[in-house]
Amino acid sequence: MRFQVLGSIAANDNLGGPVVLRGPRYREVLARLILARRRVVPVGRLVEDLWDEPPANAVGAIRTFVAGLRRALEPDRPPRTPPRLLVTEGLGYALRAEPDAVDAWRFDDAVRAASTLPAGQAFSLLTEALRWWQGPAYADFADAGWAQAERARLAEQRLLAVERRAEAQLTLGAAAAAVPDLDAHVTEHPWREDAWGLLATALYRSGRQADALAVLARARRMLADDLGIDPGPALRRLEHDLLRQAEHLDPIATDPSVRVWEQARAAYDSTVPPGTGTRLESTAGLMRDLAVTGGGGLAAARAHRISAVVAADQLGDAELTARVIGIYDVPAIWTRSDDPAQAGRLVDIAEKTLLRLPVHDDADRARLLATIAVESRGGLPPDQPTEAGLRPLRAARQAEEIARRLHDPALLAFALNGVFMQSFQRAGMALRRDAVGSEIVAVAATSSSATYEVLGHLILIQTRCALADYPGADQHADAVDALARRYQLPLVEVFTTWYRALRTSATTDLDTAEAAYQAAAVSLVGAGMPGLERGLLPLAELSLYLRHHDTGRIAAIAPDTDWGPYKPWIEPTLLVARGDLDAARTALRNIASPPRDLLFEALWAIVAHAAIAVGDVETMHRARTQLSPAAAETTAQSGLLSVGPVRTYLDDIESAMRRRGTPGS
């Protein structure tokens, strides 16, 4: 569930569809709970905030609004089961939205992260974050007293983001591109002296010294006429430096790469008309390169990529759409999508384009099929296969077959990425993925594709961990780090840092291992990979506590810990550690199978641990059935964390069943 407060109040479901929120009072209750940032808002406070003169039935009305919101936000919740999103605590209510579920919360995180990132990543991250604004914050409730302080704070944050984005542009040498936005910014917010200084600097670096001085004169007049003050020291120093053409004002004027980029961009803009297929293909190609720069670059690449694909699809040219989709052959290693709704839309367009593509166009067909396989990561059915669930698997195999027939190494590497993403039909397939990773490394070497060579080594780190071959994994980690340094691929460090935390955890004490994971978690900040980041650190820490049999630390885990998508399979073990065995049994009853991905074995092992503790024979049977194919492997399939050898959990299940005298044990 996603919530929007940067503009009108809105909610969207996990597929990106709008949630109907009925009348304004329902939206106001939702907005007030969002503002509380997951904290409890007492009913009395809600009454005070919603009405100047509360009616006699105000408390009953609040309950009605909350009940309506619960039906809208959790439409599939079974009757008489407690809500998990809009919860009752004590005498109030809290919206337990995920940390990245509210656009304003994500915006705060983006502005904070951008201050620590290199200029290129900061620019991309802030550009994407500013697009989330659809109007003034909490626009529906501009006159509400409860919203005023937060509206003012967010408005200030937005102005700060605009100025920090401009600073990044100047650092990157894109001064001319920064001028129009800064000019509009100071016109709308003339009291912001930092913005005037940025505009003057941008003009100066664009070769417009006279205009830069005129801007400062304009600022001086505005401050004197409207506020009765003189410019501050920073603006006065800047004016002095502009007059003497101080060298520090244009530190990158002699950088040839900046001049070449600006000249090429200007030539492209003047030569290639807007709204053409060529522009869409160029955009997709640029986004492919941007995606591997990390941080905001990856997030921006995802957003612009889907925009280009949708635009191509709307033109009705299947071959153009296929090229725009297929050019984005960015390697993918993590099996959970960063944006499932966007990935689903992309797959839908790719499948539709396949039906309209000429039958002879094998290369584009293979790229569409590989895209479907990669973007459908984690989409294999958890239990019984279905027609829809098997389509990505078949797409991966078809893409591989076409690529081999065409003898196209680059296309084969892309297709094999799809094969990897769909290689989780069951547990215990590390050797199969090891073969895929080895072939990707070999194929990438023949096609000089550094990014796919990196992908192959990352897959081999995972498979070597699954097979408990840590020296082998070390070799691949060293190889991939060398490639990342050589080709400036910063996202690679996220995976190797986490692998080395796993490696540390295998040979050190619990406290040292925990510190290694906490240090590794820093690498995820601003990396632009929410599908990897959410819930990963607490899951890694839990894996340590289980391996060290430290029930006390498990019981002490904070109740409001964000487990991300892993909570259903973690909760029974937490309840066991806290001594609430009945609740653990309830949580295990009919528990769904974890997604078939890199954490499949680890999550089933955690479920097995809880089932053994409470004597849940049915769940033990299920866990044994799912884990048995991986009996010779470890739960370190991800290359990031491990709860130990699979055999340990299978043996524990067998022992528990023998103690209970279970038939067939």
Side-chain angles (χ1 to χ4, degrees):
M1 191 67 65
R2 294 277 195 167
F3 300 96
Q4 172 188 304
V5 298
L6 302 179
S8 296
I9 306 303
N12 292 284
D13 60 27
N14 63 341
L15 297 178
V19 174
V20 178
L21 296 176
R22 300 182 67 176
R25 287 298 191 190
Y26 291 83
R27 292 197 301 276
E28 187 166 11
V29 170
L30 176 62
R32 181 63 184 84
L33 293 174
I34 290 173
L35 184 140
R37 284 186 174 255
R38 306 182 87 242
R39 295 188 296 272
V40 174
V41 181
V43 172
R45 172 56 63 83
L46 286 172
V47 169
E48 292 174 6
D49 287 341
L50 264 65
W51 290 281
D52 293 331
E53 296 183 11
N57 66 337
V59 172
I62 294 291
R63 290 173 180 155
T64 298
F65 301 147
V66 168
L69 285 171
R70 283 172 173 163
R71 286 192 296 271
L73 300 178
E74 297 185 79
D76 299 327
R77 179 166 57 90
R80 294 182 296 280
T81 58
R84 305 183 66 155
L85 184 55
L86 206 172
V87 301
T88 301
E89 285 196 13
L91 298 178
Y93 302 103
L95 185 75
R96 301 299 192 197
E98 301 293 350
D100 67 342
V102 177
D103 55 2
W105 304 354
R106 296 198 308 276
F107 185 78
D108 284 337
D109 290 342
V111 174
R112 186 164 46 250
S115 65
T116 66
L117 294 173
Q121 294 179 31
F123 174 76
S124 297
L125 180 59
L126 291 172
T127 298
E128 175 64 17
L130 286 166
R131 286 196 188 94
W132 301 336
W133 285 75
Q134 304 297 314
Y138 295 89
D140 301 331
F141 307 105
D143 297 328
W146 58 264
Q148 288 177 2
E150 180 67 355
R151 280 168 50 83
R153 186 191 70 80
L154 286 168
E156 177 63 26
Q157 279 284 84
R158 183 182 178 279
L159 298 180
L160 179 63
V162 170
E163 290 162 12
R164 285 186 176 172
R165 178 181 180 274
E167 288 175 2
Q169 279 184 292
L170 295 180
T171 302
L172 293 168
V179 169
D181 288 341
L182 281 170
D183 201 2
H185 183 60
V186 298
T187 300
E188 189 174 354
H189 308 285
W191 60 88
R192 297 184 71 84
E193 292 191 38
D194 286 349
W196 287 105
L198 287 167
L199 176 57
T201 303
L203 287 164
Y204 180 83
R205 291 186 181 178
S206 303
R208 300 166 61 182
Q209 182 182 11
D211 288 337
L213 290 167
V215 158
L216 293 182
R218 187 170 131 212
R220 183 186 296 277
R221 287 194 304 273
M222 184 279 303
L223 291 170
D225 293 346
D226 294 352
L227 302 177
I229 60 174
D230 291 326
L235 279 187
R236 294 199 301 271
R237 282 195 303 271
L238 177 59
E239 187 173 33
H240 174 72
D241 290 344
L242 288 173
L243 287 167
R244 66 185 183 87
Q245 300 182 346
E247 290 185 6
H248 73 83
L249 287 176
D250 201 1
I252 58 174
T254 58
D255 186 339
S257 65
V258 173
R259 291 199 307 273
V260 169
W261 175 264
E262 289 295 324
Q263 291 166 1
R265 182 185 61 79
Y268 189 92
D269 285 344
S270 63
T271 306
V272 181
T276 62
T278 301
R279 284 235 176 192
L280 293 176
E281 288 188 66
S282 299
T283 299
L286 283 172
M287 293 310 102
R288 175 189 58 196
D289 297 336
L290 180 63
V292 298
T293 63
L298 179 56
R302 283 197 301 269
H304 293 306
R305 178 206 185 184
I306 191 64
S307 297
V309 169
V310 170
D313 181 51
Q314 290 172 345
L315 292 174
D317 184 335
E319 292 177 272
L320 170 64
T321 306
R323 291 195 299 272
V324 171
I325 292 174
I327 199 172
Y328 190 92
D329 55 351
V330 178
I333 183 65
W334 193 242
T335 45
R336 183 174 287 275
S337 176
D338 292 319
D339 191 333
Q342 185 187 97
R345 191 176 187 191
L346 185 62
V347 168
D348 288 343
I349 295 174
E351 289 182 334
K352 181 175 69 174
T353 304
L354 270 174
L355 297 176
R356 297 187 288 128
L357 199 65
V359 293
H360 63 271
D361 197 344
D362 279 350
D364 282 339
R365 185 173 298 278
R367 289 185 176 277
L368 288 173
L369 290 164
T371 298
I372 291 168
V374 170
E375 295 297 337
S376 300
R377 66 188 81 181
L380 284 167
D383 291 306
Q384 296 301 317
T386 63
E387 180 63 24
L390 291 175
R391 278 205 302 269
L393 178 59
R394 286 200 292 267
R397 291 170 177 168
Q398 291 167 9
E400 179 187 7
E401 178 186 340
I402 295 172
R404 292 191 189 281
R405 187 172 72 244
L406 295 178
H407 302 288
D408 184 333
L411 184 57
L412 180 57
F414 187 17
L416 288 172
N417 196 174
V419 170
F420 164 73
M421 281 296 174
Q422 298 301 320
S423 64
F424 296 86
Q425 298 96 319
R426 59 171 175 79
M429 295 191 69
L431 288 174
R432 167 63 176 140
R433 290 194 285 276
D434 194 79
V436 171
S438 296
E439 185 171 11
I440 290 176
V441 170
V443 169
T446 64
S447 59
S448 301
S449 174
T451 54
Y452 272 94
E453 193 171 355
V454 164
L455 172 66
H457 283 297
L458 290 176
I459 292 173
L460 291 168
I461 291 173
Q462 294 172 347
T463 59
R464 294 293 100 193
C465 287
L467 299 170
D469 177 13
Y470 291 108
D474 289 341
Q475 293 177 6
H476 292 293
D478 291 342
V480 82
D481 277 339
L483 286 166
R485 287 192 298 270
R486 180 177 177 185
Y487 294 102
Q488 298 181 6
L489 303 171
L491 287 179
V492 172
E493 183 183 6
V494 172
F495 294 97
T496 55
T497 299
W498 273 83
Y499 160 68
R500 290 192 168 91
L502 167 61
R503 190 75 165 95
T504 298
S505 74
T507 56
T508 60
D509 61 89
L510 177 54
D511 289 335
T512 302
E514 193 169 22
Y517 271 123
Q518 289 168 353
V522 175
S523 68
L524 282 167
V525 177
M529 295 186 287
L532 175 64
E533 180 180 7
R534 290 192 54 231
L536 188 59
L537 178 59
L539 183 59
E541 292 174 331
L542 176 63
S543 73
L544 294 176
Y545 305 155
L546 286 171
R547 282 160 51 199
H548 287 266
H549 308 288
D550 196 328
T551 303
R553 294 206 196 193
I554 298 174
I557 294 174
D560 61 349
T561 296
D562 177 19
W563 293 98
Y566 312 118
K567 185 175 181 179
W569 302 284
I570 302 304
E571 192 168 24
T573 289
L574 300 179
L575 293 168
V576 167
R578 294 166 188 158
D580 195 345
L581 301 189
D582 288 339
R585 291 188 186 95
T586 301
L588 285 169
R589 191 175 300 129
N590 300 320
I591 192 169
S593 177
R596 294 181 183 269
D597 60 17
L598 283 163
L599 291 170
F600 183 71
E601 289 88 348
L603 292 176
W604 260 122
I606 294 171
V607 170
H609 169 83
I612 292 167
V614 301
D616 185 335
V617 174
E618 181 181 351
T619 303
M620 282 191 272
H621 271 297
R622 290 180 65 201
R624 181 176 63 178
T625 300
Q626 297 294 342
L627 290 172
S628 290
E633 299 178 8
T634 76
T635 57
Q637 306 278 342
S638 65
L640 309 182
L641 58 86
S642 173
V643 292
V646 173
R647 170 51 62 189
T648 299
Y649 293 89
L650 291 173
D651 289 346
D652 288 346
I653 291 171
E654 294 296 333
S655 297
M657 287 184 169
R658 280 197 299 271
R659 287 195 301 271
R660 298 180 65 85
T662 304
S665 63

